Amino acid sequence: VGKRALDFLIENSGSRHNLEVDFFGGEPLMNFDVVKQLVAYAREIEKTHNKHFRFTLTTNGVLIDDDVIDFANREMSNVVLSLDGRKEVHDRYRVDYAGNGSWEKIVPKFQKLVEARGGKNYYMRGTFTHANPDFLEDIKTMLDLGFSELSMEPVVAAANDPSALTEADKAIVMEQYEKLAELMLEVRPMKSNSTTDLMRRAMASRFTPYLPQLTTEALTKHTEAYKTAYRPRDLLPVEKTLLADLEKE
């Protein structure tokens, strides 16, 4: 099935040269041998068709070992590491088969992998829920752990799910985005390959549903923060429009 999926991608890629494939869960490292086989197959067929596969591995980190790190550094253009920030927040939902939290087990593995990649071509992916609408504290925790490429995204859940964000949470979330913009402005003088880029994903399209409700002051902060952390081609159309409108005011 995996090989046929790669064939299908090539067959329908037209003139596109770079083809993106993300190994995403479940947990792809539970079937790591298949991941290796598919990457090897892709490397064989890309030459014939004048294509180039760029792979991403998304993992919860539990099964990371030296073999995984070496393979990821050779073959993965990007690695996405699932971490929700503070230990108590992360361990609330991310547990093993016995119900034990995974934070203490995975953080050292993530740090080792990121160091082996030279602090590049990875990002931490966290989720904020009703349990942690104050998600900026989780971002700060990840920064303290030495991670600089961060993404914090709102949970997608049914309204009756205990983890779902509520109307009352929205005020907290909007305040957190204001504080996030302030933090981005604070770190602006730092070199571009470290913390100046720390929120490029955290402030991506995930927060756009809240934009109409943010204050003018907050939007101005976001404008300055975006100028700092994003290149123009990184922005979505809605974000480019927002920045252009604010600059006219």
Side-chain angles (χ1 to χ4, degrees), residues 149-210:
E149 300 296 321
L150 312 179
S151 168
M152 283 295 290
E153 305 174 12
V155 67
V156 177
N160 61 352
D161 190 302
S163 68
L165 293 165
T166 66
E167 287 298 318
D169 291 331
K170 287 185 179 180
I172 300 173
V173 169
M174 288 187 286
E175 180 185 30
Q176 293 293 289
Y177 279 122
E178 293 192 32
K179 292 180 178 179
L180 176 59
E182 293 173 352
L183 178 60
M184 291 179 68
L185 293 173
E186 288 175 10
V187 302
R188 175 163 47 186
M190 301 184 70
K191 59 184 181 179
S192 62
N193 66 345
S194 61
T195 320
T196 29
D197 293 329
L198 68 97
M199 299 309 169
R200 296 181 68 245
R201 293 182 181 275
M203 289 189 66
S205 60
R206 312 303 182 185
F207 84 94
T208 51
Y210 298 102

Side-chain angles (χ1 to χ4, degrees), residues 6-7 9 58 70 94 115 129 138 140 183 217 233:
L6 296 175
D7 291 337
L9 183 55
T58 298
D70 291 343
R94 299 187 186 270
E115 182 180 4
T129 71
D138 298 296
K140 291 177 179 177
L183 178 60
E217 180 183 5
R233 66 177 179 273

Side-chain angles (χ1 to χ4, degrees), residues 100-242:
N100 301 313
S102 61
W103 194 94
E104 290 188 355
K105 184 174 184 177
I106 65 173
V107 166
K109 294 185 177 187
F110 286 164
Q111 290 171 324
K112 184 175 182 179
L113 185 149
V114 169
E115 182 180 4
R117 293 180 74 81
K120 301 175 182 178
N121 302 319
Y122 81 96
Y123 71 90
M124 317 304 297
R125 186 193 183 283
T127 302
F128 63 89
T129 71
H130 178 61
N132 64 316
D134 59 336
F135 65 87
L136 188 58
E137 296 307 311
D138 298 296
I139 289 174
K140 291 177 179 177
T141 294
M142 289 191 276
L143 289 172
D144 290 341
L145 291 170
F147 305 122
S148 61
E149 300 296 321
L150 312 179
S151 168
M152 283 295 290
E153 305 174 12
V155 67
V156 177
N160 61 352
D161 190 302
S163 68
L165 293 165
T166 66
E167 287 298 318
D169 291 331
K170 287 185 179 180
I172 300 173
V173 169
M174 288 187 286
E175 180 185 30
Q176 293 293 289
Y177 279 122
E178 293 192 32
K179 292 180 178 179
L180 176 59
E182 293 173 352
L183 178 60
M184 291 179 68
L185 293 173
E186 288 175 10
V187 302
R188 175 163 47 186
M190 301 184 70
K191 59 184 181 179
S192 62
N193 66 345
S194 61
T195 320
T196 29
D197 293 329
L198 68 97
M199 299 309 169
R200 296 181 68 245
R201 293 182 181 275
M203 289 189 66
S205 60
R206 312 303 182 185
F207 84 94
T208 51
Y210 298 102
L211 289 178
Q213 304 171 61
L214 294 174
T215 64
T216 301
E217 180 183 5
L219 288 173
T220 302
K221 291 176 183 176
H222 283 299
T223 302
E224 293 303 315
Y226 259 60
K227 288 178 181 177
T228 298
Y230 282 85
R231 296 164 295 179
R233 66 177 179 273
D234 292 327
L235 299 179
L236 295 175
V238 64
E239 296 161 340
K240 291 180 180 179
T241 300
L242 171 67

Side-chain angles (χ1 to χ4, degrees), residues 45-57:
I45 62 176
E46 67 181 1
K47 300 172 185 176
T48 304
H49 298 278
N50 190 31
K51 303 292 184 180
H52 176 64
F53 281 95
R54 297 197 296 202
F55 292 102
T56 295
L57 176 70

Side-chain angles (χ1 to χ4, degrees), residues 77-93:
S77 298
N78 199 11
V79 179
V80 182
L81 308 172
S82 298
L83 183 70
D84 289 339
R86 290 166 289 181
K87 182 179 186 298
E88 64 272 20
V89 170
H90 178 92
D91 286 349
R92 185 183 186 93
Y93 294 111

